[in-house]
Amino acid sequence: MRLVDWYQGQHAQYSQNNSPNNESLHFLELLENKLLKPIEANLDKVTISYGFTSPSLLLYIRKNSPGDMAPEIDQHAAMELNSRGNRICKRDGAACDIWVKGYEQNMHLVAKFIVQQLPYDRLYFYAKNRPIHLSIGPENSRYALLRLTNSDGKRINSKSATGDPTHTLFDHL
């Protein structure tokens, strides 16, 4: 499954298992069927730039390529448990960051399609030429956030909306 195997191109040195538990697998299948396949049917091929992260893969990434991560809320760990038996992410569901072929410089058009047509939980938009963070969950809150980069190179939260107001969030980018 591409949501599980995504790391092989970027973290080829990682040699452990990235298999999800059954609860995580359920949400990963929903993410694939309710979001990724409809995007491909209407736009073009989806590439996963950051997908499911098992507890061991998360530790590996934190050690070898740390960055702007928030595993306690970003849904990439889906329903996985840490070494203490607690959920890594406090939100239900699963997430991935995606590119869509032919839209690499116009990801705002992909974001607009998603918020208008699909049952998503959260969408984080970074720039027209950056991957989109997309999640699905039992509530599907339909929350979208513009998370732009400031002059120092740090990501900052900008505009956000929930529900129908997200339909115009990407109009003036």
Side-chain angles (χ1 to χ4, degrees):
M1 171 183 262
R2 62 182 168 174
L3 287 163
V4 174
D5 299 335
W6 69 274
Y7 69 92
Q8 293 174 347
Q10 297 164 338
H11 303 286
Q13 311 86 315
Y14 176 76
S15 59
Q16 296 181 26
N17 192 336
N18 191 42
S19 295
N21 66 31
N22 287 337
E23 284 184 286
S24 293
L25 184 59
H26 166 73
F27 283 107
L28 291 167
E29 288 171 347
L30 285 176
L31 182 58
E32 177 75 30
N33 293 323
K34 300 282 185 182
L35 295 174
L36 303 184
K37 285 183 179 178
I39 291 169
E40 288 181 326
N42 289 279
L43 300 176
D44 208 328
K45 182 180 184 325
V46 169
T47 300
I48 310 297
S49 64
Y50 196 101
F52 170 73
T53 53
S54 64
S56 61
L57 180 57
L58 178 59
L59 289 173
Y60 176 86
I61 293 170
R62 281 183 155 166
K63 180 181 177 186
N64 295 286
S65 60
D68 185 21
M69 298 172 59
E72 62 283 348
I73 61 171
D74 69 14
Q75 296 168 290
H76 285 287
M79 308 297 283
E80 299 298 305
L81 304 177
N82 63 20
S83 60
R84 294 188 181 108
N86 299 318
R87 291 254 310 274
I88 294 169
C89 181
K90 306 306 181 226
R91 294 185 179 136
D92 292 342
C96 63
D97 295 1
I98 64 167
W99 289 102
V100 177
K101 182 179 177 186
Y103 291 86
E104 293 86 352
Q105 300 300 314
N106 292 297
M107 291 299 288
H108 65 294
L109 299 175
V110 175
K112 191 168 180 81
F113 169 77
I114 293 166
V115 299
Q116 291 178 347
Q117 302 293 325
L118 301 177
Y120 68 100
D121 187 36
R122 295 181 180 266
L123 184 150
Y124 301 149
F125 181 84
Y126 302 109
K128 288 181 181 183
N129 62 347
R130 301 288 305 152
I132 293 172
H133 172 91
L134 183 60
S135 72
I136 197 161
E139 295 177 16
N140 281 340
S141 65
R142 296 177 56 226
Y143 172 80
L145 170 67
L146 300 181
R147 197 141 196 269
L148 307 176
T149 304
N150 69 12
S151 59
D152 296 338
K154 293 185 180 183
R155 289 186 183 158
I156 56 169
N157 294 346
S158 183
K159 295 179 184 177
S160 67
T162 302
D164 289 344
T166 62
H167 293 191
T168 59
L169 201 55
F170 307 97
D171 285 349
H172 301 289
L173 294 177

mmCIF file of all heavy atoms in Angstrom, residues 117-156:
data_model
loop_
_atom_site.group_PDB
_atom_site.id
_atom_site.type_symbol
_atom_site.label_atom_id
_atom_site.label_comp_id
_atom_site.label_asym_id
_atom_site.label_seq_id
_atom_site.Cartn_x
_atom_site.Cartn_y
_atom_site.Cartn_z
ATOM 1 N N GLN A 117 -15.226 19.108 -2.997
ATOM 2 C CA GLN A 117 -15.784 17.844 -3.475
ATOM 3 C C GLN A 117 -15.635 16.636 -2.552
ATOM 4 O O GLN A 117 -16.373 15.667 -2.725
ATOM 5 C CB GLN A 117 -15.134 17.481 -4.819
ATOM 6 C CG GLN A 117 -15.310 18.521 -5.901
ATOM 7 C CD GLN A 117 -16.753 18.667 -6.345
ATOM 8 O OE1 GLN A 117 -17.494 17.695 -6.390
ATOM 9 N NE2 GLN A 117 -17.166 19.882 -6.657
ATOM 10 N N LEU A 118 -14.695 16.656 -1.611
ATOM 11 C CA LEU A 118 -14.365 15.423 -0.906
ATOM 12 C C LEU A 118 -14.585 15.503 0.612
ATOM 13 O O LEU A 118 -14.518 16.580 1.192
ATOM 14 C CB LEU A 118 -12.909 15.033 -1.207
ATOM 15 C CG LEU A 118 -12.590 14.804 -2.683
ATOM 16 C CD1 LEU A 118 -11.117 14.503 -2.867
ATOM 17 C CD2 LEU A 118 -13.458 13.715 -3.278
ATOM 18 N N PRO A 119 -14.774 14.343 1.257
ATOM 19 C CA PRO A 119 -15.054 14.278 2.700
ATOM 20 C C PRO A 119 -13.771 14.180 3.538
ATOM 21 O O PRO A 119 -13.445 13.128 4.077
ATOM 22 C CB PRO A 119 -15.872 12.994 2.812
ATOM 23 C CG PRO A 119 -15.278 12.109 1.769
ATOM 24 C CD PRO A 119 -14.924 13.031 0.623
ATOM 25 N N TYR A 120 -13.042 15.263 3.679
ATOM 26 C CA TYR A 120 -11.765 15.253 4.382
ATOM 27 C C TYR A 120 -11.931 15.718 5.834
ATOM 28 O O TYR A 120 -12.943 16.318 6.201
ATOM 29 C CB TYR A 120 -10.749 16.147 3.654
ATOM 30 C CG TYR A 120 -11.111 17.611 3.718
ATOM 31 C CD1 TYR A 120 -10.494 18.442 4.636
ATOM 32 C CD2 TYR A 120 -12.082 18.151 2.886
ATOM 33 C CE1 TYR A 120 -10.839 19.781 4.720
ATOM 34 C CE2 TYR A 120 -12.427 19.478 2.963
ATOM 35 C CZ TYR A 120 -11.809 20.293 3.881
ATOM 36 O OH TYR A 120 -12.147 21.611 3.977
ATOM 37 N N ASP A 121 -10.925 15.460 6.639
ATOM 38 C CA ASP A 121 -10.919 15.957 8.014
ATOM 39 C C ASP A 121 -10.143 17.269 8.093
ATOM 40 O O ASP A 121 -10.686 18.288 8.458
ATOM 41 C CB ASP A 121 -10.312 14.921 8.966
ATOM 42 C CG ASP A 121 -10.432 15.334 10.425
ATOM 43 O OD1 ASP A 121 -11.453 15.939 10.795
ATOM 44 O OD2 ASP A 121 -9.500 15.062 11.202
ATOM 45 N N ARG A 122 -8.856 17.227 7.703
ATOM 46 C CA ARG A 122 -8.017 18.417 7.754
ATOM 47 C C ARG A 122 -7.188 18.528 6.487
ATOM 48 O O ARG A 122 -6.737 17.526 5.944
ATOM 49 C CB ARG A 122 -7.097 18.372 8.973
ATOM 50 C CG ARG A 122 -7.909 18.435 10.244
ATOM 51 C CD ARG A 122 -7.066 18.418 11.475
ATOM 52 N NE ARG A 122 -7.950 18.478 12.618
ATOM 53 C CZ ARG A 122 -8.309 19.600 13.247
ATOM 54 N NH1 ARG A 122 -7.831 20.744 12.858
ATOM 55 N NH2 ARG A 122 -9.132 19.564 14.264
ATOM 56 N N LEU A 123 -6.990 19.749 6.053
ATOM 57 C CA LEU A 123 -6.142 20.040 4.900
ATOM 58 C C LEU A 123 -5.233 21.189 5.304
ATOM 59 O O LEU A 123 -5.718 22.233 5.742
ATOM 60 C CB LEU A 123 -6.995 20.429 3.695
ATOM 61 C CG LEU A 123 -6.249 20.679 2.386
ATOM 62 C CD1 LEU A 123 -7.141 20.314 1.210
ATOM 63 C CD2 LEU A 123 -5.768 22.103 2.250
ATOM 64 N N TYR A 124 -3.922 20.971 5.198
ATOM 65 C CA TYR A 124 -2.946 22.023 5.467
ATOM 66 C C TYR A 124 -2.278 22.364 4.149
ATOM 67 O O TYR A 124 -1.698 21.507 3.486
ATOM 68 C CB TYR A 124 -1.891 21.588 6.486
ATOM 69 C CG TYR A 124 -2.460 21.172 7.827
ATOM 70 C CD1 TYR A 124 -1.827 20.215 8.589
ATOM 71 C CD2 TYR A 124 -3.630 21.731 8.339
ATOM 72 C CE1 TYR A 124 -2.322 19.817 9.822
ATOM 73 C CE2 TYR A 124 -4.138 21.341 9.555
ATOM 74 C CZ TYR A 124 -3.478 20.385 10.294
ATOM 75 O OH TYR A 124 -3.984 19.989 11.513
ATOM 76 N N PHE A 125 -2.364 23.622 3.787
ATOM 77 C CA PHE A 125 -1.815 24.105 2.518
ATOM 78 C C PHE A 125 -0.583 24.947 2.823
ATOM 79 O O PHE A 125 -0.642 25.902 3.591
ATOM 80 C CB PHE A 125 -2.869 24.954 1.799
ATOM 81 C CG PHE A 125 -2.399 25.481 0.479
ATOM 82 C CD1 PHE A 125 -2.491 24.702 -0.655
ATOM 83 C CD2 PHE A 125 -1.858 26.752 0.381
ATOM 84 C CE1 PHE A 125 -2.057 25.181 -1.874
ATOM 85 C CE2 PHE A 125 -1.418 27.242 -0.839
ATOM 86 C CZ PHE A 125 -1.512 26.456 -1.962
ATOM 87 N N TYR A 126 0.550 24.592 2.183
ATOM 88 C CA TYR A 126 1.822 25.265 2.458
ATOM 89 C C TYR A 126 2.220 26.273 1.392
ATOM 90 O O TYR A 126 2.805 27.295 1.701
ATOM 91 C CB TYR A 126 2.929 24.223 2.636
ATOM 92 C CG TYR A 126 2.621 23.251 3.756
ATOM 93 C CD1 TYR A 126 2.289 21.930 3.475
ATOM 94 C CD2 TYR A 126 2.620 23.656 5.082
ATOM 95 C CE1 TYR A 126 1.990 21.039 4.498
ATOM 96 C CE2 TYR A 126 2.323 22.773 6.111
ATOM 97 C CZ TYR A 126 2.008 21.464 5.804
ATOM 98 O OH TYR A 126 1.705 20.593 6.817
ATOM 99 N N ALA A 127 1.943 25.981 0.141
ATOM 100 C CA ALA A 127 2.260 26.882 -0.973
ATOM 101 C C ALA A 127 1.792 26.220 -2.266
ATOM 102 O O ALA A 127 1.551 25.016 -2.299
ATOM 103 C CB ALA A 127 3.762 27.163 -1.044
ATOM 104 N N LYS A 128 1.692 27.009 -3.319
ATOM 105 C CA LYS A 128 1.272 26.479 -4.624
ATOM 106 C C LYS A 128 2.203 25.384 -5.123
ATOM 107 O O LYS A 128 1.791 24.521 -5.880
ATOM 108 C CB LYS A 128 1.234 27.599 -5.663
ATOM 109 C CG LYS A 128 0.107 28.564 -5.495
ATOM 110 C CD LYS A 128 0.177 29.597 -6.616
ATOM 111 C CE LYS A 128 -0.914 30.613 -6.486
ATOM 112 N NZ LYS A 128 -0.890 31.568 -7.610
ATOM 113 N N ASN A 129 3.457 25.429 -4.704
ATOM 114 C CA ASN A 129 4.451 24.477 -5.192
ATOM 115 C C ASN A 129 4.951 23.538 -4.094
ATOM 116 O O ASN A 129 6.084 23.078 -4.132
ATOM 117 C CB ASN A 129 5.627 25.218 -5.828
ATOM 118 C CG ASN A 129 6.347 26.108 -4.828
ATOM 119 O OD1 ASN A 129 5.860 26.367 -3.729
ATOM 120 N ND2 ASN A 129 7.514 26.581 -5.211
ATOM 121 N N ARG A 130 4.114 23.254 -3.114
ATOM 122 C CA ARG A 130 4.447 22.346 -2.014
ATOM 123 C C ARG A 130 3.349 21.285 -1.902
ATOM 124 O O ARG A 130 2.199 21.517 -2.287
ATOM 125 C CB ARG A 130 4.539 23.098 -0.685
ATOM 126 C CG ARG A 130 5.567 24.209 -0.646
ATOM 127 C CD ARG A 130 6.993 23.744 -0.621
ATOM 128 N NE ARG A 130 7.193 22.830 0.490
ATOM 129 C CZ ARG A 130 8.105 21.867 0.502
ATOM 130 N NH1 ARG A 130 8.899 21.687 -0.505
ATOM 131 N NH2 ARG A 130 8.226 21.084 1.533
ATOM 132 N N PRO A 131 3.664 20.122 -1.323
ATOM 133 C CA PRO A 131 2.623 19.104 -1.118
ATOM 134 C C PRO A 131 1.537 19.608 -0.177
ATOM 135 O O PRO A 131 1.765 20.513 0.626
ATOM 136 C CB PRO A 131 3.378 17.941 -0.471
ATOM 137 C CG PRO A 131 4.815 18.193 -0.714
ATOM 138 C CD PRO A 131 4.981 19.675 -0.873
ATOM 139 N N ILE A 132 0.380 19.003 -0.270
ATOM 140 C CA ILE A 132 -0.754 19.293 0.604
ATOM 141 C C ILE A 132 -0.839 18.201 1.656
ATOM 142 O O ILE A 132 -0.735 17.021 1.340
ATOM 143 C CB ILE A 132 -2.074 19.322 -0.202
ATOM 144 C CG1 ILE A 132 -2.095 20.502 -1.158
ATOM 145 C CG2 ILE A 132 -3.281 19.358 0.731
ATOM 146 C CD1 ILE A 132 -3.274 20.472 -2.113
ATOM 147 N N HIS A 133 -1.054 18.597 2.899
ATOM 148 C CA HIS A 133 -1.320 17.646 3.980
ATOM 149 C C HIS A 133 -2.825 17.405 3.993
ATOM 150 O O HIS A 133 -3.616 18.350 4.050
ATOM 151 C CB HIS A 133 -0.870 18.229 5.326
ATOM 152 C CG HIS A 133 -1.278 17.401 6.497
ATOM 153 N ND1 HIS A 133 -0.476 16.415 7.012
ATOM 154 C CD2 HIS A 133 -2.408 17.408 7.239
ATOM 155 C CE1 HIS A 133 -1.098 15.848 8.039
ATOM 156 N NE2 HIS A 133 -2.270 16.439 8.188
ATOM 157 N N LEU A 134 -3.210 16.140 3.961
ATOM 158 C CA LEU A 134 -4.621 15.781 3.853
ATOM 159 C C LEU A 134 -4.919 14.633 4.798
ATOM 160 O O LEU A 134 -4.159 13.667 4.863
ATOM 161 C CB LEU A 134 -4.897 15.357 2.403
ATOM 162 C CG LEU A 134 -6.306 14.990 2.009
ATOM 163 C CD1 LEU A 134 -7.259 16.157 2.232
ATOM 164 C CD2 LEU A 134 -6.317 14.562 0.549
ATOM 165 N N SER A 135 -6.034 14.742 5.540
ATOM 166 C CA SER A 135 -6.394 13.653 6.443
ATOM 167 C C SER A 135 -7.878 13.333 6.345
ATOM 168 O O SER A 135 -8.680 14.113 5.833
ATOM 169 C CB SER A 135 -6.037 13.998 7.891
ATOM 170 O OG SER A 135 -6.901 14.988 8.417
ATOM 171 N N ILE A 136 -8.189 12.152 6.869
ATOM 172 C CA ILE A 136 -9.563 11.691 6.969
ATOM 173 C C ILE A 136 -9.755 11.180 8.385
ATOM 174 O O ILE A 136 -8.807 10.735 9.022
ATOM 175 C CB ILE A 136 -9.876 10.604 5.917
ATOM 176 C CG1 ILE A 136 -11.373 10.433 5.745
ATOM 177 C CG2 ILE A 136 -9.187 9.284 6.263
ATOM 178 C CD1 ILE A 136 -11.771 9.740 4.456
ATOM 179 N N GLY A 137 -10.960 11.310 8.893
ATOM 180 C CA GLY A 137 -11.255 10.839 10.242
ATOM 181 C C GLY A 137 -12.736 10.624 10.412
ATOM 182 O O GLY A 137 -13.522 10.926 9.513
ATOM 183 N N PRO A 138 -13.148 10.117 11.544
ATOM 184 C CA PRO A 138 -14.571 9.830 11.745
ATOM 185 C C PRO A 138 -15.445 11.083 11.753
ATOM 186 O O PRO A 138 -16.606 11.033 11.371
ATOM 187 C CB PRO A 138 -14.621 9.097 13.083
ATOM 188 C CG PRO A 138 -13.350 9.427 13.768
ATOM 189 C CD PRO A 138 -12.344 9.723 12.694
ATOM 190 N N GLU A 139 -14.888 12.210 12.161
ATOM 191 C CA GLU A 139 -15.673 13.450 12.206
ATOM 192 C C GLU A 139 -15.621 14.217 10.890
ATOM 193 O O GLU A 139 -16.531 14.979 10.587
ATOM 194 C CB GLU A 139 -15.180 14.342 13.341
ATOM 195 C CG GLU A 139 -15.412 13.730 14.705
ATOM 196 C CD GLU A 139 -14.862 14.593 15.812
ATOM 197 O OE1 GLU A 139 -14.570 15.779 15.584
ATOM 198 O OE2 GLU A 139 -14.721 14.061 16.930
ATOM 199 N N ASN A 140 -14.532 14.054 10.127
ATOM 200 C CA ASN A 140 -14.335 14.815 8.896
ATOM 201 C C ASN A 140 -14.754 16.269 9.089
ATOM 202 O O ASN A 140 -15.723 16.750 8.518
ATOM 203 C CB ASN A 140 -15.037 14.161 7.715
ATOM 204 C CG ASN A 140 -14.247 12.989 7.181
ATOM 205 O OD1 ASN A 140 -13.058 12.867 7.417
ATOM 206 N ND2 ASN A 140 -14.918 12.106 6.476
ATOM 207 N N SER A 141 -13.987 16.967 9.896
ATOM 208 C CA SER A 141 -14.300 18.341 10.306
ATOM 209 C C SER A 141 -14.276 19.353 9.172
ATOM 210 O O SER A 141 -14.767 20.455 9.334
ATOM 211 C CB SER A 141 -13.332 18.789 11.396
ATOM 212 O OG SER A 141 -12.016 18.851 10.885
ATOM 213 N N ARG A 142 -13.670 18.994 8.012
ATOM 214 C CA ARG A 142 -13.575 19.888 6.859
ATOM 215 C C ARG A 142 -12.893 21.213 7.240
ATOM 216 O O ARG A 142 -13.338 22.289 6.908
ATOM 217 C CB ARG A 142 -14.955 20.122 6.239
ATOM 218 C CG ARG A 142 -15.549 18.840 5.682
ATOM 219 C CD ARG A 142 -16.960 19.001 5.124
ATOM 220 N NE ARG A 142 -17.029 20.020 4.103
ATOM 221 C CZ ARG A 142 -17.985 20.957 4.048
ATOM 222 N NH1 ARG A 142 -18.947 20.968 4.932
ATOM 223 N NH2 ARG A 142 -17.977 21.856 3.090
ATOM 224 N N TYR A 143 -11.770 21.074 7.937
ATOM 225 C CA TYR A 143 -10.968 22.213 8.374
ATOM 226 C C TYR A 143 -9.788 22.379 7.414
ATOM 227 O O TYR A 143 -9.088 21.413 7.127
ATOM 228 C CB TYR A 143 -10.455 21.971 9.801
ATOM 229 C CG TYR A 143 -9.467 22.998 10.285
ATOM 230 C CD1 TYR A 143 -9.906 24.230 10.758
ATOM 231 C CD2 TYR A 143 -8.101 22.747 10.279
ATOM 232 C CE1 TYR A 143 -9.007 25.186 11.215
ATOM 233 C CE2 TYR A 143 -7.191 23.681 10.730
ATOM 234 C CZ TYR A 143 -7.653 24.899 11.196
ATOM 235 O OH TYR A 143 -6.765 25.842 11.647
ATOM 236 N N ALA A 144 -9.585 23.604 6.945
ATOM 237 C CA ALA A 144 -8.452 23.892 6.066
ATOM 238 C C ALA A 144 -7.660 25.061 6.653
ATOM 239 O O ALA A 144 -8.237 26.030 7.152
ATOM 240 C CB ALA A 144 -8.926 24.237 4.660
ATOM 241 N N LEU A 145 -6.337 24.941 6.568
ATOM 242 C CA LEU A 145 -5.433 25.937 7.125
ATOM 243 C C LEU A 145 -4.374 26.301 6.098
ATOM 244 O O LEU A 145 -3.753 25.420 5.506
ATOM 245 C CB LEU A 145 -4.749 25.371 8.379
ATOM 246 C CG LEU A 145 -3.591 26.166 8.970
ATOM 247 C CD1 LEU A 145 -4.061 27.506 9.538
ATOM 248 C CD2 LEU A 145 -2.895 25.341 10.046
ATOM 249 N N LEU A 146 -4.191 27.593 5.885
ATOM 250 C CA LEU A 146 -3.071 28.076 5.085
ATOM 251 C C LEU A 146 -1.890 28.184 6.041
ATOM 252 O O LEU A 146 -1.927 28.953 7.000
ATOM 253 C CB LEU A 146 -3.366 29.436 4.463
ATOM 254 C CG LEU A 146 -4.560 29.522 3.522
ATOM 255 C CD1 LEU A 146 -4.688 30.939 2.970
ATOM 256 C CD2 LEU A 146 -4.460 28.517 2.407
ATOM 257 N N ARG A 147 -0.870 27.412 5.800
ATOM 258 C CA ARG A 147 0.319 27.378 6.660
ATOM 259 C C ARG A 147 1.496 27.819 5.800
ATOM 260 O O ARG A 147 2.163 27.004 5.179
ATOM 261 C CB ARG A 147 0.510 25.963 7.191
ATOM 262 C CG ARG A 147 1.424 25.900 8.356
ATOM 263 C CD ARG A 147 0.941 24.909 9.397
ATOM 264 N NE ARG A 147 1.660 25.213 10.598
ATOM 265 C CZ ARG A 147 2.810 24.645 10.923
ATOM 266 N NH1 ARG A 147 3.318 23.715 10.181
ATOM 267 N NH2 ARG A 147 3.450 25.013 12.004
ATOM 268 N N LEU A 148 1.715 29.119 5.753
ATOM 269 C CA LEU A 148 2.659 29.704 4.817
ATOM 270 C C LEU A 148 4.035 29.893 5.438
ATOM 271 O O LEU A 148 4.203 29.790 6.649
ATOM 272 C CB LEU A 148 2.089 31.023 4.303
ATOM 273 C CG LEU A 148 0.657 30.911 3.734
ATOM 274 C CD1 LEU A 148 0.119 32.267 3.337
ATOM 275 C CD2 LEU A 148 0.616 29.940 2.573
ATOM 276 N N THR A 149 5.029 30.184 4.615
ATOM 277 C CA THR A 149 6.400 30.363 5.074
ATOM 278 C C THR A 149 6.724 31.848 5.160
ATOM 279 O O THR A 149 6.489 32.595 4.209
ATOM 280 C CB THR A 149 7.377 29.667 4.094
ATOM 281 O OG1 THR A 149 6.988 28.301 3.979
ATOM 282 C CG2 THR A 149 8.796 29.749 4.594
ATOM 283 N N ASN A 150 7.263 32.271 6.312
ATOM 284 C CA ASN A 150 7.618 33.684 6.469
ATOM 285 C C ASN A 150 9.012 33.949 5.924
ATOM 286 O O ASN A 150 9.675 33.059 5.399
ATOM 287 C CB ASN A 150 7.469 34.130 7.930
ATOM 288 C CG ASN A 150 8.489 33.506 8.861
ATOM 289 O OD1 ASN A 150 9.467 32.908 8.431
ATOM 290 N ND2 ASN A 150 8.256 33.637 10.155
ATOM 291 N N SER A 151 9.489 35.173 6.054
ATOM 292 C CA SER A 151 10.780 35.561 5.478
ATOM 293 C C SER A 151 11.958 34.842 6.144
ATOM 294 O O SER A 151 13.029 34.741 5.556
ATOM 295 C CB SER A 151 10.969 37.075 5.582
ATOM 296 O OG SER A 151 10.901 37.471 6.939
ATOM 297 N N ASP A 152 11.764 34.320 7.353
ATOM 298 C CA ASP A 152 12.815 33.558 8.040
ATOM 299 C C ASP A 152 12.827 32.092 7.640
ATOM 300 O O ASP A 152 13.658 31.325 8.111
ATOM 301 C CB ASP A 152 12.624 33.625 9.558
ATOM 302 C CG ASP A 152 12.757 35.022 10.108
ATOM 303 O OD1 ASP A 152 13.390 35.864 9.448
ATOM 304 O OD2 ASP A 152 12.230 35.263 11.213
ATOM 305 N N GLY A 153 11.873 31.688 6.796
ATOM 306 C CA GLY A 153 11.790 30.304 6.371
ATOM 307 C C GLY A 153 10.973 29.420 7.294
ATOM 308 O O GLY A 153 10.903 28.211 7.107
ATOM 309 N N LYS A 154 10.348 30.009 8.308
ATOM 310 C CA LYS A 154 9.530 29.239 9.247
ATOM 311 C C LYS A 154 8.073 29.251 8.804
ATOM 312 O O LYS A 154 7.580 30.253 8.278
ATOM 313 C CB LYS A 154 9.636 29.817 10.653
ATOM 314 C CG LYS A 154 11.006 29.663 11.243
ATOM 315 C CD LYS A 154 11.033 30.132 12.670
ATOM 316 C CE LYS A 154 12.423 29.958 13.236
ATOM 317 N NZ LYS A 154 12.478 30.340 14.631
ATOM 318 N N ARG A 155 7.408 28.134 9.021
ATOM 319 C CA ARG A 155 5.982 28.053 8.689
ATOM 320 C C ARG A 155 5.160 28.724 9.773
ATOM 321 O O ARG A 155 5.400 28.533 10.960
ATOM 322 C CB ARG A 155 5.552 26.604 8.553
ATOM 323 C CG ARG A 155 6.102 25.939 7.328
ATOM 324 C CD ARG A 155 5.537 24.558 7.166
ATOM 325 N NE ARG A 155 6.138 23.913 6.000
ATOM 326 C CZ ARG A 155 6.188 22.615 5.835
ATOM 327 N NH1 ARG A 155 5.671 21.804 6.726
ATOM 328 N NH2 ARG A 155 6.747 22.099 4.765
ATOM 329 N N ILE A 156 4.192 29.514 9.313
ATOM 330 C CA ILE A 156 3.290 30.194 10.238
ATOM 331 C C ILE A 156 1.857 29.944 9.795
ATOM 332 O O ILE A 156 1.571 29.837 8.603
ATOM 333 C CB ILE A 156 3.576 31.715 10.315
ATOM 334 C CG1 ILE A 156 3.508 32.341 8.915
ATOM 335 C CG2 ILE A 156 4.915 31.990 10.966
ATOM 336 C CD1 ILE A 156 3.518 33.842 8.905
#
